[in-house]
Amino acid sequence: MRFIFKTDYAQDIRLAKHGGHLFWYGLLGAILLAAPWWASEYVMSQLHFICIYSIVGFGLMILTGFTGQVSLGHAAFLAVGAYTEALMQAAGVPFAVSISCAAIFSAAAGIIIGLPALRLKGIYLAIATLAFGVVVEEIITRWTKLTGGNEGKHLKPVEILGWKLDSDAEFYYLCLALTVLCCLACVNLLRSPTGRAFVAIRDSEISASCLGVNLAKYKTMAFAISAALTGVGGALYAHKLAFISPEQFTLFQSIELLTIVILGGIGFLHGAVLGAAFIIVLPQLISIAKGWLPEGMAPSGLQAVVFGLILILFIIFEPLGLYGRWLKVRTYFELFPFYRKGMFRRQKSYMKSERLR
Amino acid sequence: MSFFKVENLGIRFGGVVAVDKVGFEVRRGECYTIIGPNGAGKTTIFNLIGLLYPATSGKITFEQKEINSFSPHQVADLGIARTFQNIELFEHATVLQNLLIGRHRHRKTALWQELLFTPSVRAAELAQREAVEKVIDFLELAKVRDNLVAGLPYGLRKVVELGRALATEPKLLLLDEPSSGLNPEETDDMAFWIEDIKRHLGVTVLMVEHDMNLVSRVSDRVLALNLGSVIAEGTPAEVQAHPAVIEAYLGKAA
């Protein structure tokens, strides 16, 4: 067990709270940097996806995990990012500009969908964002002049200042660098006043507003930041697949993105990465399991069933997700043998009769 | 000039007149208490002052500014802080984080600076922590600084909420039943703190309270309400002896 003796305010702000952090994150970084040397082509491709989904996961985590606003329309932001990148690349715009535009346009879309969010809550907000997702999907399908409709759009590999990133390793480093940057931006945000205001809105809107948090402004901001990150993810996603069409940005995609944050652990940035890894690895596990099942016992829809089942089981038995499970395991060993079962149980809050809405 | 003034304040919920033509004035540096039986409209007045409800009639002025058309966060920005009767803390955050959210109105950094965590953000964060640490010292919260609010007992939560309001460095502090749910010792501590807040921090206190012992200890003036209207105003002793107040609490002699 480690005790941290605080002697300085800066200790609270520091990124690595103790030597263990430095060591383990350093090790993780080294392993990831060395990936092209140890990973097969197939694993590299999975790592691309994990990076991309992590970025999107950060975005959704900021919105759902930290600001408490549900979104079932994040595939729309992914689409805005992806199509911005595809169209701009086709027009010959440099990558640095096009990916920034992907973020900016997605953020603008986020602000638009954030406006009704100022009045809607919970399930109603979920429905509104869901409708938004469907609308965007429909626009992409119908606006054939711009998006190519169902024929989709092809993308060339990323090119930065004349340097073509056409190998797996080069594209991997690009994804990794952007993931780390987005992660740092999120961590920075969460340790400054804006991040605290988000958390305040999540936990009690009424006292947040009585402490001077402008609800309208900060909710819109959460939507914009979340959408911008998703847009960056979308741009990389488009490059990874090299071909995008409306079928990739359906309601099902939105649900999959929400699954990332719920499985990973709502309210933890680690959760976004764990959730992304889980969702990428799971289909492979399922296809391996299919091979073991007797002939005729493996229906084609098995993947959707397993996804749904896992989501339900997590919500019932581990609402804190994979990261919450890890925290519990760690605490168990740190406190051994004094860990008790109810330690992480969320206490029922005291009666709240003063709900003003 | 008046520091904080409420004139002809009223609100109707459908056919129910919850607050009717209430007017009072709070002087800078005093502790002003609103008392009254259940349902007298005390908390409703607080919610009207915080602009959580739109008033049906009346005018609220704070330092010569009419604040009726403000939104709740603007009221907080002026330097009016409040606590809630049933505690509205951020449960999944630590005590320290709760108090830091109280510093929200003193933030100075822009979003892009925060995303990059520039040196100015770092300096601002350190300053915020120093300010919060003063409140922690004042309310003796050092022991629970890093505990999650969700695990704290009720009495301590009450103190944390008071701390969060103080962290905003308010000019006017609204306390909604600071002693409800507290045992006699905790109530005693609360009385000391309210006195200190008034004397040493120079914060004007407007509170709603039931515990007459606490009221007479800390208040300079008292306003008694019944069924949404003012029935008496004066020093604690005067109001307690007022026939209309006795009637409101105990009923008329047969």
Side-chain angles (χ1 to χ4, degrees):
Chain A
M1 169 122 216
R2 178 182 279 120
F3 289 97
I4 299 174
F5 186 62
K6 289 189 186 166
T7 51
D8 187 1
Y9 299 136
Q11 268 173 302
D12 273 342
I13 299 173
R14 204 169 292 158
L15 281 181
K17 300 276 184 270
H18 50 76
H21 275 170
L22 276 180
F23 175 74
W24 289 111
Y25 285 109
L27 189 65
L28 178 68
I31 291 174
L32 287 177
L33 277 176
W37 285 273
W38 57 260
S40 66
E41 199 179 324
Y42 171 71
V43 174
M44 282 300 285
S45 169
Q46 300 299 83
L47 284 175
H48 291 160
F49 274 118
I50 291 175
C51 286
I52 294 166
Y53 275 113
S54 297
I55 295 177
V56 178
F58 292 143
L60 202 50
M61 194 61 87
I62 292 274
L63 187 68
T64 305
F66 291 102
T67 321
Q69 312 293 308
V70 184
S71 167
L72 273 176
H74 253 58
F77 303 129
L78 198 68
V80 172
Y83 274 93
T84 308
E85 178 65 24
L87 292 169
M88 289 203 142
Q89 197 199 30
V93 177
F95 179 72
V97 178
S98 65
I99 200 160
S100 313
C101 284
I104 292 167
F105 289 167
S106 291
I111 290 171
I112 292 169
I113 185 60
L115 292 177
L118 307 179
R119 302 192 167 270
L120 300 175
K121 272 187 191 175
I123 187 90
Y124 302 102
L125 179 60
I127 293 170
T129 51
L130 189 154
F132 171 74
V134 173
V135 167
V136 169
E137 188 196 333
E138 204 60 21
I139 291 175
I140 294 172
T141 317
R142 298 290 163 88
W143 198 351
T144 44
K145 253 188 190 158
L146 187 73
T147 63
N150 283 321
E151 283 167 24
K153 280 264 167 203
H154 288 274
L155 286 98
K156 292 180 295 251
V158 181
E159 198 180 318
I160 301 173
L161 300 173
W163 176 31
K164 257 205 164 107
L165 305 181
D166 45 9
S167 77
D168 268 356
E170 286 164 318
F171 185 63
Y172 169 71
Y173 283 128
L174 174 70
C175 290
L176 188 63
L178 282 172
T179 310
V180 171
L181 280 181
C182 290
C183 182
L184 279 179
C186 290
V187 172
N188 284 343
L189 192 70
L190 291 171
R191 56 180 175 155
S192 39
T194 306
R196 284 195 294 265
F198 286 166
V199 174
I201 290 175
R202 177 190 70 188
D203 284 359
S204 168
E205 283 195 10
I206 182 149
S207 58
S209 71
C210 287
L211 289 168
V213 176
N214 184 344
L215 294 182
K217 184 177 149 195
Y218 280 91
K219 276 190 189 174
T220 315
M221 218 180 236
F223 263 97
I225 292 170
S226 171
L229 288 168
T230 311
V232 171
L236 290 176
Y237 183 73
H239 276 300
K240 172 64 196 160
L241 298 179
F243 171 74
I244 48 171
S245 70
E247 292 115 66
Q248 286 148 357
F249 307 104
T250 55
L251 171 63
F252 207 79
Q253 175 75 281
S254 294
I255 293 176
E256 203 172 288
L257 297 180
L258 196 62
T259 314
I260 291 178
V261 290
I262 292 174
L263 287 189
I266 213 125
F268 308 101
L269 281 180
H270 300 83
V273 181
L274 289 176
F278 190 80
I279 229 162
I280 297 301
V281 173
L282 188 63
Q284 315 312 324
L285 294 181
I286 292 174
S287 61
I288 292 171
K290 258 186 185 171
W292 292 342
L293 287 174
E295 199 69 33
M297 276 285 289
S300 54
L302 188 63
Q303 185 171 331
V305 174
V306 173
F307 254 87
L309 203 63
I310 287 180
L311 193 56
I312 292 171
L313 290 177
F314 258 95
I315 289 172
I316 296 174
F317 295 110
E318 191 55 278
L320 292 175
L322 289 169
Y323 189 69
R325 178 45 55 186
W326 154 245
L327 280 184
K328 284 178 199 175
V329 170
R330 195 179 67 186
T331 315
Y332 178 86
F333 284 108
E334 274 181 355
L335 297 183
F336 187 82
F338 296 115
Y339 182 83
R340 44 187 185 83
K341 239 183 165 173
M343 265 176 128
F344 279 85
R345 187 167 299 154
R346 292 205 168 159
Q347 212 181 0
K348 267 200 194 117
S349 51
Y350 291 94
M351 189 191 67
K352 293 193 174 180
S353 61
E354 213 180 339
R355 283 286 173 226
L356 288 163
R357 279 184 224 186
Chain B
M1 282 306 274
S2 68
F3 175 66
F4 180 78
K5 197 171 174 186
V6 171
E7 287 162 279
N8 193 30
L9 192 66
I11 186 168
R12 258 210 309 267
F13 298 108
V16 181
V17 182
V19 175
D20 189 26
K21 296 190 193 95
V22 170
F24 59 90
E25 196 183 327
V26 180
R27 294 179 201 132
R28 194 185 293 274
E30 75 174 342
C31 175
Y32 193 91
T33 306
I34 301 174
I35 63 164
N38 288 331
K42 306 176 298 286
T43 298
T44 308
I45 289 185
F46 266 32
N47 287 339
L48 286 170
I49 294 172
L51 300 179
L52 296 173
Y53 298 148
T56 315
S57 70
K59 202 166 104 177
I60 305 164
T61 38
F62 179 65
E63 295 189 316
Q64 282 92 54
K65 267 198 235 51
E66 196 181 321
I67 62 171
N68 288 46
S69 56
F70 284 28
S71 42
H73 69 267
Q74 287 171 314
V75 175
D77 273 341
L78 287 177
I80 300 180
R82 70 170 289 180
T83 65
F84 293 85
Q85 187 176 352
N86 293 309
I87 305 189
E88 289 277 347
L89 284 167
F90 308 115
E91 304 228 341
H92 305 300
T94 64
V95 170
L96 182 72
Q97 285 164 335
N98 265 279
L99 299 190
L100 280 172
I101 294 168
R103 302 290 303 167
H104 186 80
R105 80 182 187 96
H106 299 283
R107 75 201 179 283
K108 292 184 199 82
T109 46
L111 181 63
W112 67 269
Q113 292 173 311
E114 289 172 4
L115 287 171
L116 299 174
F117 216 75
T118 56
S120 63
V121 177
R122 181 176 297 275
E125 279 298 297
L126 291 178
Q128 305 287 38
R129 266 154 228 272
E130 221 172 298
V132 161
E133 218 56 42
K134 275 184 201 143
V135 176
I136 288 179
D137 272 351
F138 179 72
L139 296 176
E140 294 155 23
L141 284 169
K143 252 195 293 185
V144 295
R145 184 192 286 123
D146 290 321
N147 290 28
L148 281 186
V149 168
L152 293 183
Y154 192 85
L156 261 176
R157 292 185 190 208
K158 228 60 217 183
V159 181
V160 175
E161 211 191 18
L162 177 64
R164 190 180 63 181
L166 281 179
T168 68
E169 289 180 26
K171 292 174 193 157
L172 176 65
L173 181 62
L174 310 181
L175 300 176
D176 197 349
E177 300 204 15
S179 80
S180 76
L182 299 187
N183 66 29
E185 290 96 71
E186 289 168 334
T187 310
D188 222 37
D189 285 342
M190 190 59 84
F192 273 117
W193 280 322
I194 295 173
E195 293 241 292
D196 278 355
I197 289 167
K198 194 175 78 175
R199 293 242 170 83
H200 299 305
L201 303 183
V203 176
T204 312
V205 179
L206 172 58
M207 78 176 177
V208 161
E209 183 51 64
H210 275 299
D211 185 334
M212 282 317 287
N213 194 5
L214 176 68
V215 171
S216 36
R217 253 181 79 181
V218 300
S219 332
D220 298 298
R221 288 188 306 146
V222 177
L223 179 83
L225 287 181
N226 190 26
L227 302 173
S229 315
V230 176
I231 49 175
E233 188 185 12
T235 63
E238 280 166 16
V239 169
Q240 259 178 302
H242 197 287
V245 176
I246 294 168
E247 192 194 314
Y249 275 94
L250 302 174
K252 229 185 211 135

